[in-house]
Coordinates of all heavy atoms in Angstrom, one line a residue:
M222 N -2.3 -16.0 16.8 CA -1.5 -15.0 16.0 C -0.2 -15.7 15.5 O 0.4 -16.5 16.2 CB -1.1 -13.8 16.8 CG -0.4 -12.7 16.1 SD -1.2 -12.2 14.5 CE -2.2 -10.8 15.2
D223 N 0.1 -15.5 14.2 CA 1.3 -16.1 13.6 C 2.6 -15.5 14.2 O 2.6 -14.4 14.7 CB 1.3 -15.9 12.1 CG 0.3 -16.7 11.5 OD1 -0.2 -17.7 12.0 OD2 -0.2 -16.3 10.4
K224 N 3.7 -16.3 14.1 CA 5.0 -15.8 14.6 C 5.8 -15.5 13.3 O 5.7 -16.1 12.3 CB 5.7 -16.9 15.4 CG 5.0 -17.2 16.7 CD 5.4 -16.3 17.8 CE 4.8 -16.7 19.1 NZ 3.9 -15.6 19.6
C225 N 6.8 -14.5 13.6 CA 7.7 -14.1 12.5 C 8.5 -15.3 12.1 O 9.1 -16.0 12.9 CB 8.6 -13.0 13.0 SG 9.8 -12.5 11.8
F226 N 8.7 -15.5 10.7 CA 9.5 -16.6 10.2 C 10.9 -16.4 10.5 O 11.7 -17.4 10.7 CB 9.3 -16.5 8.6 CG 10.0 -17.6 7.9 CD1 9.6 -18.9 7.9 CD2 11.2 -17.3 7.2 CE1 10.3 -19.9 7.2 CE2 11.9 -18.3 6.6 CZ 11.4 -19.6 6.5
F227 N 11.4 -15.2 10.7 CA 12.8 -14.9 10.9 C 13.2 -14.9 12.4 O 14.2 -15.5 12.8 CB 13.2 -13.6 10.3 CG 13.1 -13.7 8.8 CD1 11.9 -13.2 8.2 CD2 14.1 -14.2 8.0 CE1 11.8 -13.2 6.8 CE2 13.9 -14.3 6.6 CZ 12.8 -13.8 6.0
C228 N 12.4 -14.2 13.2 CA 12.9 -14.0 14.6 C 11.9 -14.5 15.6 O 12.1 -14.4 16.8 CB 13.2 -12.5 14.8 SG 11.7 -11.5 15.0
K229 N 10.8 -15.1 15.1 CA 9.7 -15.6 16.0 C 9.1 -14.5 16.8 O 8.4 -14.8 17.9 CB 10.3 -16.7 16.9 CG 11.0 -17.8 16.2 CD 10.1 -18.9 15.7 CE 10.8 -20.1 15.1 NZ 11.2 -19.8 13.7
G230 N 9.2 -13.3 16.4 CA 8.5 -12.2 17.1 C 7.0 -12.3 16.7 O 6.6 -13.0 15.8
S231 N 6.2 -11.5 17.4 CA 4.8 -11.6 17.1 C 4.4 -10.7 15.9 O 5.0 -9.6 15.7 CB 4.0 -11.2 18.3 OG 4.3 -9.8 18.7
L232 N 3.5 -11.2 15.1 CA 3.1 -10.4 13.9 C 1.8 -9.6 14.2 O 0.9 -10.1 14.8 CB 2.8 -11.4 12.8 CG 4.0 -12.2 12.2 CD1 3.6 -13.1 11.2 CD2 5.1 -11.2 11.7
E233 N 1.9 -8.4 13.7 CA 0.7 -7.5 13.9 C 0.1 -7.1 12.5 O 0.8 -7.0 11.5 CB 1.2 -6.2 14.6 CG 1.6 -6.4 16.0 CD 2.3 -5.2 16.6 OE1 2.6 -4.2 15.9 OE2 2.5 -5.2 17.9
N234 N -1.2 -7.0 12.5 CA -1.8 -6.6 11.2 C -1.5 -5.1 10.9 O -1.5 -4.3 11.8 CB -3.4 -6.7 11.4 CG -3.8 -8.1 11.4 OD1 -3.2 -9.0 10.7 ND2 -4.8 -8.4 12.3
G235 N -1.2 -4.9 9.6 CA -0.9 -3.5 9.2 C -1.2 -3.3 7.8 O -1.8 -4.2 7.1
M236 N -0.7 -2.2 7.3 CA -0.8 -1.8 5.9 C 0.5 -1.5 5.4 O 1.3 -0.8 6.1 CB -1.8 -0.6 5.7 CG -3.2 -0.9 6.0 SD -4.0 -1.8 4.6 CE -5.7 -1.4 5.0
T237 N 0.8 -1.8 4.1 CA 2.1 -1.4 3.6 C 1.9 -1.1 2.1 O 0.9 -1.4 1.5 CB 3.2 -2.5 3.8 OG1 4.4 -2.0 3.4 CG2 2.9 -3.7 2.9
N238 N 2.9 -0.5 1.5 CA 2.9 -0.3 0.1 C 3.8 -1.3 -0.6 O 5.0 -1.5 -0.2 CB 3.4 1.1 -0.3 CG 2.5 2.2 0.2 OD1 1.3 2.0 0.3 ND2 3.1 3.4 0.5
Y239 N 3.3 -2.1 -1.5 CA 4.0 -3.2 -2.1 C 4.7 -2.6 -3.4 O 4.0 -2.1 -4.3 CB 3.1 -4.3 -2.5 CG 3.7 -5.5 -3.0 CD1 4.1 -6.5 -2.1 CD2 3.8 -5.7 -4.4 CE1 4.7 -7.7 -2.6 CE2 4.4 -6.9 -4.9 CZ 4.8 -7.9 -4.0 OH 5.4 -9.0 -4.5
M240 N 6.0 -2.8 -3.5 CA 6.7 -2.2 -4.7 C 7.4 -3.4 -5.5 O 7.9 -4.3 -4.9 CB 7.8 -1.2 -4.2 CG 7.2 0.2 -4.2 SD 8.3 1.3 -3.4 CE 7.8 1.2 -1.7
L241 N 7.3 -3.2 -6.8 CA 7.7 -4.3 -7.7 C 8.4 -3.7 -8.9 O 8.0 -2.6 -9.4 CB 6.5 -5.1 -8.1 CG 6.7 -6.4 -8.8 CD1 7.2 -7.4 -7.8 CD2 5.3 -6.9 -9.3
D242 N 9.5 -4.3 -9.3 CA 10.2 -3.8 -10.5 C 10.3 -4.9 -11.6 O 10.8 -6.0 -11.4 CB 11.7 -3.5 -10.0 CG 12.6 -3.0 -11.1 OD1 12.2 -3.0 -12.3 OD2 13.7 -2.5 -10.8
I243 N 9.6 -4.6 -12.7 CA 9.6 -5.5 -13.8 C 10.2 -4.9 -15.0 O 9.7 -4.0 -15.6 CB 8.1 -5.9 -14.2 CG1 7.4 -6.5 -13.0 CG2 8.1 -6.9 -15.4 CD1 5.9 -6.8 -13.2
D244 N 11.4 -5.3 -15.3 CA 12.2 -4.8 -16.5 C 12.2 -3.3 -16.5 O 12.0 -2.7 -17.5 CB 11.5 -5.3 -17.8 CG 11.6 -6.8 -17.9 OD1 12.5 -7.4 -17.3 OD2 10.7 -7.4 -18.5
G245 N 12.5 -2.7 -15.4 CA 12.6 -1.3 -15.3 C 11.3 -0.5 -15.2 O 11.2 0.7 -15.1
H246 N 10.2 -1.3 -15.1 CA 8.9 -0.7 -14.8 C 8.6 -0.9 -13.4 O 8.7 -2.0 -12.8 CB 7.8 -1.3 -15.7 CG 8.0 -1.2 -17.2 ND1 7.6 0.0 -17.8 CD2 8.6 -2.0 -18.1 CE1 8.0 -0.2 -19.1 NE2 8.5 -1.4 -19.3
F247 N 8.1 0.2 -12.7 CA 7.8 0.1 -11.3 C 6.3 0.0 -11.1 O 5.6 0.9 -11.6 CB 8.4 1.3 -10.6 CG 9.9 1.3 -10.5 CD1 10.7 2.0 -11.4 CD2 10.6 0.5 -9.6 CE1 12.1 2.0 -11.4 CE2 12.0 0.5 -9.6 CZ 12.7 1.2 -10.5
I248 N 5.9 -0.9 -10.3 CA 4.5 -1.0 -9.9 C 4.5 -0.8 -8.4 O 5.2 -1.5 -7.6 CB 4.0 -2.4 -10.3 CG1 3.9 -2.6 -11.8 CG2 2.6 -2.6 -9.7 CD1 3.5 -4.0 -12.2
I249 N 3.6 0.1 -8.0 CA 3.5 0.4 -6.6 C 2.0 0.1 -6.2 O 1.1 0.7 -6.9 CB 3.8 1.8 -6.2 CG1 5.3 2.1 -6.6 CG2 3.6 2.1 -4.7 CD1 5.7 3.5 -6.6
I250 N 1.8 -0.8 -5.3 CA 0.4 -1.1 -4.9 C 0.3 -0.6 -3.5 O 1.0 -1.0 -2.6 CB 0.1 -2.6 -5.0 CG1 0.4 -3.2 -6.4 CG2 -1.4 -2.9 -4.6 CD1 0.3 -4.7 -6.5
K251 N -0.7 0.4 -3.3 CA -0.8 1.0 -2.0 C -1.8 0.3 -1.1 O -2.7 -0.3 -1.6 CB -1.2 2.5 -2.2 CG -0.2 3.3 -2.9 CD -0.7 4.7 -3.4 CE -0.8 5.6 -2.2 NZ -1.3 7.0 -2.6
N252 N -1.7 0.5 0.1 CA -2.6 0.0 1.2 C -2.8 -1.5 1.1 O -3.9 -2.0 1.1 CB -3.9 0.7 1.0 CG -3.8 2.2 1.2 OD1 -3.1 2.7 2.0 ND2 -4.4 3.0 0.3
V253 N -1.7 -2.2 1.0 CA -1.8 -3.7 1.0 C -1.8 -4.2 2.4 O -0.9 -3.9 3.2 CB -0.6 -4.3 0.2 CG1 -0.7 -5.8 0.2 CG2 -0.5 -3.8 -1.2
P254 N -2.8 -5.0 2.8 CA -2.9 -5.5 4.1 C -1.7 -6.5 4.3 O -1.4 -7.3 3.4 CB -4.2 -6.2 4.2 CG -4.6 -6.5 2.8 CD -4.0 -5.4 2.0
C255 N -1.1 -6.4 5.5 CA 0.1 -7.3 5.7 C 0.2 -7.6 7.2 O -0.5 -7.1 8.0 CB 1.4 -6.6 5.3 SG 1.8 -5.2 6.3
H256 N 1.1 -8.5 7.5 CA 1.4 -8.9 8.8 C 2.9 -8.3 9.0 O 3.8 -8.7 8.3 CB 1.4 -10.4 9.1 CG 0.1 -11.0 8.8 ND1 -1.1 -10.7 9.5 CD2 -0.3 -11.8 7.9 CE1 -2.1 -11.4 9.1 NE2 -1.7 -12.1 8.0
K257 N 3.0 -7.5 10.0 CA 4.4 -6.9 10.3 C 4.9 -7.4 11.6 O 4.2 -7.3 12.6 CB 4.3 -5.4 10.2 CG 5.6 -4.7 10.2 CD 5.4 -3.2 9.9 CE 6.8 -2.6 9.7 NZ 6.7 -1.2 9.5
C258 N 6.1 -7.8 11.6 CA 6.8 -8.3 12.8 C 7.0 -7.1 13.8 O 7.6 -6.1 13.3 CB 8.1 -9.0 12.5 SG 8.9 -9.5 14.0
S259 N 6.6 -7.2 15.0 CA 6.9 -6.2 16.0 C 8.3 -6.1 16.4 O 8.7 -5.1 17.0 CB 6.0 -6.3 17.2 OG 6.2 -7.6 17.8
Q260 N 9.1 -7.1 16.2 CA 10.5 -7.1 16.6 C 11.4 -6.7 15.5 O 12.2 -5.8 15.6 CB 10.9 -8.5 17.0 CG 10.6 -8.8 18.5 CD 11.3 -10.0 19.0 OE1 11.6 -10.1 20.2 NE2 11.4 -11.1 18.2
C261 N 11.4 -7.3 14.3 CA 12.4 -7.0 13.2 C 11.8 -6.2 12.1 O 12.5 -5.8 11.2 CB 13.0 -8.3 12.7 SG 11.9 -9.4 11.7
G262 N 10.4 -6.1 12.1 CA 9.8 -5.3 11.0 C 9.6 -6.0 9.7 O 9.2 -5.4 8.7
E263 N 9.9 -7.3 9.7 CA 9.7 -8.1 8.5 C 8.2 -8.1 8.2 O 7.3 -8.3 9.0 CB 10.2 -9.5 8.7 CG 10.1 -10.5 7.6 CD 10.9 -10.1 6.4 OE1 11.9 -9.4 6.6 OE2 10.5 -10.4 5.2
V264 N 7.9 -8.0 6.9 CA 6.5 -7.9 6.4 C 6.2 -9.2 5.7 O 6.9 -9.7 4.8 CB 6.3 -6.7 5.5 CG1 4.9 -6.8 4.8 CG2 6.3 -5.4 6.4
S265 N 5.0 -9.8 6.0 CA 4.6 -11.0 5.2 C 3.1 -10.8 4.8 O 2.4 -10.0 5.4 CB 4.8 -12.2 6.0 OG 4.0 -12.2 7.2
Y266 N 2.7 -11.6 3.8 CA 1.3 -11.4 3.3 C 0.6 -12.7 3.4 O 1.2 -13.8 3.3 CB 1.4 -11.0 1.8 CG 2.2 -9.7 1.6 CD1 3.5 -9.7 1.3 CD2 1.6 -8.4 1.8 CE1 4.3 -8.6 1.1 CE2 2.4 -7.3 1.7 CZ 3.7 -7.3 1.3 OH 4.4 -6.2 1.2
S267 N -0.7 -12.7 3.5 CA -1.5 -13.9 3.5 C -1.6 -14.4 2.0 O -1.4 -13.7 1.1 CB -2.9 -13.6 4.0 OG -3.7 -12.8 3.1
G268 N -2.0 -15.7 1.9 CA -2.2 -16.3 0.6 C -3.2 -15.5 -0.3 O -2.9 -15.3 -1.5
D269 N -4.3 -15.1 0.3 CA -5.3 -14.3 -0.4 C -4.7 -13.0 -1.0 O -5.0 -12.6 -2.1 CB -6.5 -14.0 0.5 CG -7.4 -15.2 0.7 OD1 -7.1 -16.2 0.1 OD2 -8.3 -15.1 1.5
T270 N -3.9 -12.4 -0.1 CA -3.3 -11.1 -0.5 C -2.3 -11.3 -1.6 O -2.3 -10.5 -2.6 CB -2.6 -10.4 0.7 OG1 -3.6 -10.2 1.7 CG2 -2.0 -9.1 0.3
V271 N -1.5 -12.3 -1.5 CA -0.5 -12.6 -2.6 C -1.2 -12.9 -3.9 O -0.8 -12.4 -5.0 CB 0.4 -13.8 -2.2 CG1 1.2 -14.3 -3.4 CG2 1.3 -13.4 -1.0
A272 N -2.3 -13.6 -3.9 CA -3.1 -14.0 -5.1 C -3.7 -12.7 -5.7 O -3.6 -12.6 -6.9 CB -4.2 -14.9 -4.7
K273 N -4.1 -11.8 -4.9 CA -4.7 -10.6 -5.4 C -3.6 -9.7 -6.0 O -3.8 -9.0 -7.0 CB -5.5 -9.8 -4.3 CG -6.3 -8.7 -4.9 CD -7.4 -8.1 -3.9 CE -8.1 -7.0 -4.5 NZ -9.0 -6.3 -3.6
I274 N -2.5 -9.6 -5.3 CA -1.3 -8.9 -5.9 C -1.0 -9.4 -7.2 O -0.7 -8.6 -8.2 CB -0.1 -9.0 -4.9 CG1 -0.4 -8.1 -3.6 CG2 1.2 -8.5 -5.6 CD1 0.7 -8.3 -2.6
E275 N -0.9 -10.7 -7.4 CA -0.6 -11.3 -8.7 C -1.6 -10.9 -9.7 O -1.2 -10.7 -10.9 CB -0.5 -12.8 -8.5 CG 0.8 -13.3 -7.8 CD 0.9 -14.8 -7.6 OE1 -0.1 -15.5 -7.9 OE2 1.9 -15.2 -7.0
K276 N -2.8 -10.9 -9.4 CA -3.9 -10.5 -10.3 C -3.7 -9.1 -10.8 O -3.8 -8.7 -12.0 CB -5.3 -10.7 -9.7 CG -5.9 -12.0 -10.0 CD -7.4 -12.0 -9.5 CE -8.0 -13.4 -9.7 NZ -9.3 -13.5 -9.0
I277 N -3.4 -8.2 -9.8 CA -3.2 -6.8 -10.1 C -2.0 -6.6 -11.0 O -2.1 -5.9 -12.0 CB -3.1 -6.0 -8.8 CG1 -4.4 -5.9 -8.0 CG2 -2.6 -4.5 -9.1 CD1 -4.2 -5.3 -6.6
V278 N -0.9 -7.3 -10.7 CA 0.3 -7.2 -11.5 C 0.0 -7.7 -12.9 O 0.4 -7.1 -13.9 CB 1.4 -8.0 -10.9 CG1 2.6 -8.1 -11.8 CG2 1.9 -7.3 -9.6
E279 N -0.7 -8.8 -13.0 CA -1.0 -9.4 -14.3 C -1.8 -8.4 -15.2 O -1.5 -8.3 -16.4 CB -1.8 -10.7 -14.1 CG -1.6 -11.7 -15.2 CD -0.2 -12.0 -15.6 OE1 0.6 -12.2 -14.6 OE2 0.1 -12.0 -16.8
S280 N -2.8 -7.8 -14.6 CA -3.6 -6.8 -15.4 C -2.8 -5.6 -15.7 O -3.1 -5.0 -16.8 CB -4.9 -6.5 -14.6 OG -4.5 -5.7 -13.4
L281 N -1.9 -5.2 -14.9 CA -1.1 -4.0 -15.2 C 0.0 -4.3 -16.3 O 0.4 -3.4 -17.0 CB -0.3 -3.5 -13.9 CG -1.2 -2.8 -12.9 CD1 -0.4 -2.6 -11.6 CD2 -1.7 -1.5 -13.4
K282 N 0.4 -5.5 -16.4 CA 1.4 -5.9 -17.4 C 1.0 -5.6 -18.8 O 1.8 -5.3 -19.7 CB 1.8 -7.4 -17.2 CG 2.9 -7.7 -16.3 CD 3.2 -9.2 -16.4 CE 4.3 -9.6 -15.3 NZ 4.4 -11.1 -15.3
K283 N -0.3 -5.7 -19.0 CA -0.9 -5.5 -20.3 C -0.7 -4.0 -20.8 O -0.7 -3.8 -22.0 CB -2.4 -5.9 -20.4 CG -2.6 -7.4 -20.2 CD -4.0 -7.7 -20.0 CE -4.2 -9.2 -19.6 NZ -5.5 -9.4 -18.8
A284 N -0.8 -3.1 -19.9 CA -0.7 -1.7 -20.2 C 0.4 -1.1 -19.3 O 0.1 -0.2 -18.5 CB -2.0 -1.0 -20.0
L285 N 1.6 -1.6 -19.3 CA 2.6 -1.2 -18.4 C 3.2 0.2 -18.8 O 3.7 0.4 -19.9 CB 3.7 -2.2 -18.3 CG 4.5 -2.3 -17.0 CD1 3.6 -2.5 -15.8 CD2 5.5 -3.5 -17.1
T286 N 3.1 1.1 -17.9 CA 3.8 2.4 -18.0 C 5.0 2.3 -17.2 O 5.3 1.4 -16.5 CB 2.9 3.5 -17.5 OG1 2.4 3.2 -16.2 CG2 1.7 3.7 -18.5
E287 N 5.8 3.4 -17.2 CA 7.1 3.4 -16.5 C 6.9 3.2 -15.0 O 7.6 2.5 -14.3 CB 7.8 4.7 -16.8 CG 9.3 4.6 -16.5 CD 10.1 5.7 -17.1 OE1 9.8 6.1 -18.2 OE2 11.0 6.2 -16.4
V288 N 5.9 4.0 -14.5 CA 5.5 3.8 -13.1 C 4.0 3.7 -13.0 O 3.2 4.5 -13.5 CB 5.9 5.0 -12.3 CG1 5.5 4.9 -10.8 CG2 7.4 5.3 -12.4
A289 N 3.5 2.6 -12.4 CA 2.1 2.4 -12.2 C 1.8 2.4 -10.7 O 2.5 1.6 -9.9 CB 1.7 1.1 -12.8
I290 N 0.9 3.2 -10.2 CA 0.5 3.3 -8.8 C -0.9 2.9 -8.7 O -1.8 3.6 -9.3 CB 0.8 4.7 -8.2 CG1 2.3 5.0 -8.4 CG2 0.4 4.6 -6.7 CD1 2.6 6.4 -8.0
V291 N -1.3 1.9 -8.0 CA -2.7 1.5 -7.9 C -3.0 1.3 -6.4 O -2.1 1.1 -5.6 CB -3.0 0.2 -8.7 CG1 -2.9 0.4 -10.2 CG2 -2.1 -0.9 -8.3
D292 N -4.2 1.3 -6.1 CA -4.7 1.0 -4.7 C -5.1 -0.4 -4.6 O -5.8 -0.9 -5.5 CB -5.9 2.0 -4.4 CG -5.9 2.2 -2.9 OD1 -6.1 1.2 -2.2 OD2 -5.8 3.3 -2.5
F293 N -4.7 -1.1 -3.6 CA -5.0 -2.5 -3.5 C -6.5 -2.8 -3.4 O -7.0 -3.7 -3.9 CB -4.4 -3.1 -2.2 CG -4.6 -4.5 -2.0 CD1 -3.8 -5.5 -2.6 CD2 -5.6 -5.0 -1.2 CE1 -3.9 -6.8 -2.4 CE2 -5.8 -6.4 -1.0 CZ -5.0 -7.3 -1.6
V294 N -7.2 -1.8 -2.7 CA -8.7 -2.0 -2.5 C -9.4 -1.8 -3.8 O -10.5 -2.4 -4.0 CB -9.1 -1.0 -1.4 CG1 -10.6 -1.3 -1.1 CG2 -8.3 -1.2 -0.2
A295 N -8.9 -0.9 -4.7 CA -9.7 -0.6 -5.9 C -9.9 -1.7 -6.8 O -9.0 -2.6 -6.9 CB -8.9 0.5 -6.7
Ligands
ZN81 ZN1 10.7 -10.7 13.1

């Protein structure tokens, strides 16, 4: 199991909502798998997850509304 980058606490698998602000447009991606530190609560993502987030954001940019809420799994 990985250790927290900040406090060296142990990381646990979890889910979180990823929020992003692009020029006043809010993108919320729900149910994103993450690693959460049991000590300080810091959240980190795997490389695969980051790549998929980037893909989702890229596809949303083409039809950006004021607030976009998508599911990570979808
Ligand atoms: Zn930590």
Side-chain angles (χ1 to χ4, degrees):
M222 185 53 93
D223 290 336
K224 295 272 182 246
C225 174
F226 180 77
F227 295 97
C228 73
K229 306 279 186 278
S231 61
L232 294 176
E233 293 170 351
N234 291 321
M236 291 281 203
T237 190
N238 295 331
Y239 186 89
M240 268 169 272
L241 193 70
D242 179 348
I243 302 174
D244 298 332
H246 299 278
F247 291 97
I248 295 174
I249 300 165
I250 306 172
K251 294 169 77 176
N252 303 316
V253 178
C255 68
H256 302 294
K257 192 172 188 182
C258 176
S259 57
Q260 274 192 149
C261 72
E263 180 66 27
V264 167
S265 61
Y266 306 96
S267 72
D269 283 355
T270 301
V271 170
K273 191 166 178 185
I274 287 172
E275 284 175 358
K276 266 188 185 171
I277 292 171
V278 169
E279 205 54 44
S280 66
L281 285 172
K282 269 185 185 174
K283 290 168 191 160
L285 206 56
T286 53
E287 200 164 318
V288 179
I290 304 171
V291 292
D292 205 301
F293 184 82
V294 185

